[in-house]
Amino acid sequence: MPLVRPSRRSLALAAAAATLGAAFYGVGAATADPSVPRSDKEIPNLTNVVNDIKAYYGDTTVGSEHYASADSNYARQLAGIEAKAKSDLAHALKHGKDGKDGKKPAIVLDVDDTSVLTYNYELEVGFAYSPASNQAYLDTKDMPPVFGMDTLANWAADQGVTVFWITGRPEAQRADTVRNLTAVGYTAAPDTAHLYLKNAANPPAYLACGATCTTIDYKSGTRAHIESLGYDIIGNFGDQYSDLSGGHADKSYKLPNPMYYLP
Ligand SMILES: [Mg+2]
């Protein structure tokens, strides 16, 4: 996902430039595209949005750095989703749905903002992700676990569920990702058989789209690969719809993330 995430700022500037172009050069009348705001009143104010995000995450500072709080509305919303997921997983295990045809039960987790929280990083870089700043962050710090997801994943592992991670992070961030997941308390092993990163340079043969996979292609194709190894994915967890689209999971859980959108 970091590979395909465009700068939101550059998108905004491009949109602004397009609007200015139409205004100055009179390319037809005002756009008829209903997705284009007709008034600034239809656009949330960016400063207010950032303040809302900070309030929602229960922003707290340590020195100059920002962290989310365990008693935030974000954590409360997560807890509700996780309680439902735990109940669903327990039900699936109890009723042996996973056991049909000898399939082994598994869950799939995304990494950023599903397993570990990028809030501190996002605030540090002003919500302007770049591969370089992200790598510099991981060189020196671990991201904290997403509240409750460590507990849920560890519970599932204790029930005999195999935990897989599928992330859009590049293969180059494998070691940092393994270190971070382990350091913050995930007990399932994020080894090479269970942690899938995006390998644009040398994509695996099971991804027919190869180096041109969209996130949905890559993630759903990797889930299909996991199924082909004899697993039934009884729960798939992600903070982006692109983590969840494309099938190959019995149930999907969308975790909250108002900080960015990834197609
Ligand atoms: Mg994510």
Side-chain angles (χ1 to χ4, degrees), residues 1 110-114 219 238-240 243 257 260 262:
M1 105 194 76
D110 169 51
V111 172
D112 290 301
D113 295 298
T114 298
K219 292 207 163 196
D239 64 289
Q240 302 289 321
D243 296 329
N257 180 2
Y260 54 85
L262 300 173

Side-chain angles (χ1 to χ4, degrees), residues 191-216:
D191 56 23
T192 50
H194 299 94
L195 169 62
Y196 292 87
L197 298 100
K198 199 160 190 184
N199 192 338
N202 191 17
Y206 56 78
L207 291 178
C209 44
T212 65
C213 288
T214 63
T215 299
I216 292 172

Side-chain angles (χ1 to χ4, degrees), residues 57 68-72 74-75 78-79 82 115 117 144-150:
Y57 280 91
S69 298
D71 62 352
S72 60
Y74 167 64
L78 280 172
E82 290 157 358
S115 298
L117 185 58
V146 167
F147 301 111
M149 284 303 291
D150 47 347

